Amino acid sequence: MSSLSIGIVGLPNVGKSTLFNALLKRQAALAANYPFATIEPNVGVVDVPDHRLDELCKIVITDYGRGSEGREIPEKVTPAVVKFYDIAGLVKGASKGEGLGNAFLGHIREVNAIAHVVRSFEDENVVRAGSVDPISDKETVNTELILADIQSLENTIGKLEKDIRGKPEKEAKIKYETAKKILEKLNQGIFAKDIGLEEEELEASKDLNLLTQKPQIYVLNVSEDYLSNKNDQNIDENIKDSIVICAKLESELADFDKNERENYLKELGIEYSGLDRLIKKGYEMLGLETFLTAGPKEVRAWTIKKGSKAPQAAGEIHTDFERGFISAEVINFNTLLEIGSMKKAKEKGLIRLEGKNYVMQDGDVVLFRFSV
């Protein structure tokens, strides 16, 4: 299944735990929605904010009524989810095992993207751990990621050299040359994701599982005062691929109900909470999108890669759906919202019948037809 997992990294005392605790509070509030029996203590599973689910519920009620005898319609609402992994603080020398660095770096290898928390607030009660300013903090962690990849590649290249001596196949040669090319750039301080690899090199590099090839979002952790007045001097919003979050505020917001949260954000002049923006940014960077299913039993959001075709999307629901795919009945959410009823949309001929080559679009509301 396509999903999004984000590892929260950074130096000690930059606000990672505060941010993660905010995520855990949201998880606890919504745990009943998730199709997971158990959740590891260092993993926070949170919903992807999507206003379309509320609107789809209203449409389902229009078409099927509100239910009766204690059976509510729709019976269940399931958002798409993101897994956040709390990865303990990296320190200088982590790539050489300092501060249990090897274990932490191993955890980062398992996630799709990295949320790199950078301290951009002043607080004399919170000690700076080897930290001077946002730029130097960012560089310290990035250097450790690069050094870890250099170490990993040096070992891999040695093995690949033996491989191409034994079986000089094109695929092995491309992998070897790609690994050498990446190593050279890493030694110049360039992340693997920023090299500009050719398509076949990108394919060859997938098995290398490099930390510096993962999309990285910089989370600039600011004070509440900065959000209110934009007067905190210790921040650089010019850091590429960054979002500004106040982890302390996010932790407080997680205790509010939906209306309280929206009203408080309005007072601060903020449209979306930092956590919502972090999730959306993660989706964007990983090239993911959402399709929707709606009926009396369940209204649900599903995550797929952009460019996925209808059978692949069907496979997200169940492998049988992909294997026995016949067709997909599709209407875009915005068109459906205008009509306000799936039944009326069908009567007006607005629901399209799509085949195996249909490329899914974000916000498609779909009913799959299949036979096994």
Side-chain angles (χ1 to χ4, degrees), residues 17-257:
S17 295
T18 309
L19 183 62
F20 186 71
N21 288 340
L23 290 161
L24 285 184
K25 282 181 190 175
R26 248 174 73 166
Q27 169 184 286
L30 290 153
N33 283 330
Y34 304 130
F36 300 101
T38 56
I39 296 166
E40 296 168 54
N42 68 327
V43 181
V45 180
V46 297
D47 65 309
V48 176
D50 197 333
H51 72 281
R52 296 173 298 194
L53 292 173
D54 290 338
E55 298 297 339
L56 279 177
C57 287
K58 292 175 193 169
I59 289 166
V60 168
I61 289 166
T62 298
D63 285 342
Y64 296 93
R66 290 188 173 273
S68 58
E69 296 171 11
R71 181 171 165 265
E72 201 174 325
I73 287 181
E75 291 176 30
K76 197 159 65 158
V77 181
T78 309
V81 295
V82 177
K83 283 185 178 183
F84 281 92
Y85 287 76
D86 184 23
I87 295 167
L90 285 171
V91 295
K92 199 169 184 176
S95 58
K96 292 177 183 160
E98 290 291 327
L100 300 176
N102 290 333
F104 302 151
L105 291 165
H107 291 148
I108 302 170
R109 290 194 196 281
E110 293 169 20
V111 299
N112 302 126
I114 296 169
H116 179 167
V117 182
V118 177
R119 176 170 169 163
S120 299
F121 65 89
E122 293 296 341
D123 186 340
E124 60 189 27
N125 298 314
V126 182
V127 178
R128 280 192 175 274
S131 155
V132 182
D133 57 54
I135 299 293
S136 68
D137 289 3
K138 163 181 166 289
E139 292 311 321
T140 298
V141 172
N142 283 349
T143 298
E144 293 307 320
L145 298 179
I146 286 173
L147 290 172
D149 276 355
I150 287 172
Q151 196 177 64
S152 169
L153 274 180
E154 283 173 345
N155 293 335
T156 302
I157 286 168
K159 290 172 190 164
L160 288 171
E161 274 174 348
K162 288 176 190 169
D163 282 353
I164 58 171
R165 267 190 243 121
K167 43 174 183 178
E169 292 159 1
K170 188 187 174 190
E171 198 178 299
K173 279 185 178 175
I174 292 168
K175 196 169 181 179
Y176 173 67
E177 293 301 333
T178 302
K180 280 197 358 181
K181 180 177 180 177
I182 295 171
L183 181 60
E184 185 187 338
K185 296 294 184 184
L186 288 173
N187 278 311
Q188 294 168 21
I190 300 167
F191 266 35
K193 69 183 177 67
D194 299 325
I195 293 170
L197 297 172
E198 301 292 332
E199 203 168 319
E200 63 175 13
E201 291 174 326
L202 273 173
E203 194 57 40
S205 69
K206 279 180 185 173
D207 291 344
L208 300 172
N209 196 13
L210 299 172
L211 303 173
T212 60
Q213 205 161 21
K214 295 180 186 294
Q216 187 170 170
I217 307 159
Y218 293 102
V219 179
L220 305 180
N221 185 17
V222 301
S223 63
E224 284 186 74
D225 189 42
Y226 174 83
L227 282 186
S228 305
N229 309 307
K230 296 271 179 155
N231 65 356
D232 191 330
Q233 297 304 303
N234 194 29
I235 178 140
D236 186 352
E237 287 188 54
N238 297 318
I239 294 176
K240 192 184 167 201
D241 293 325
S242 67
I243 58 169
V244 172
I245 283 182
C246 173
K248 186 168 175 283
L249 174 66
E250 293 300 324
S251 190
E252 290 164 6
L253 284 173
D255 288 326
F256 294 178
D257 67 30

Side-chain angles (χ1 to χ4, degrees), residues 271-337:
E271 193 176 356
Y272 298 107
S273 79
L275 294 184
D276 290 354
R277 284 182 288 113
L278 177 56
I279 292 164
K280 286 182 183 200
K281 185 84 171 171
Y283 252 59
E284 180 189 306
M285 291 180 82
L286 286 165
L288 300 173
E289 64 186 16
T290 305
F291 76 88
L292 306 149
T293 53
K297 285 199 173 292
E298 185 177 37
V299 167
R300 183 161 180 166
W302 304 84
T303 302
I304 51 171
K305 281 268 185 198
K306 281 182 183 171
S308 295
K309 291 187 176 175
Q312 292 170 287
E316 287 296 317
I317 299 174
H318 198 288
T319 49
D320 285 351
F321 285 26
E322 182 172 7
R323 198 170 67 246
F325 178 89
I326 297 171
S327 62
E329 294 180 11
V330 184
I331 182 169
N332 189 268
F333 169 78
N334 291 327
T335 307
L336 179 58
L337 188 61

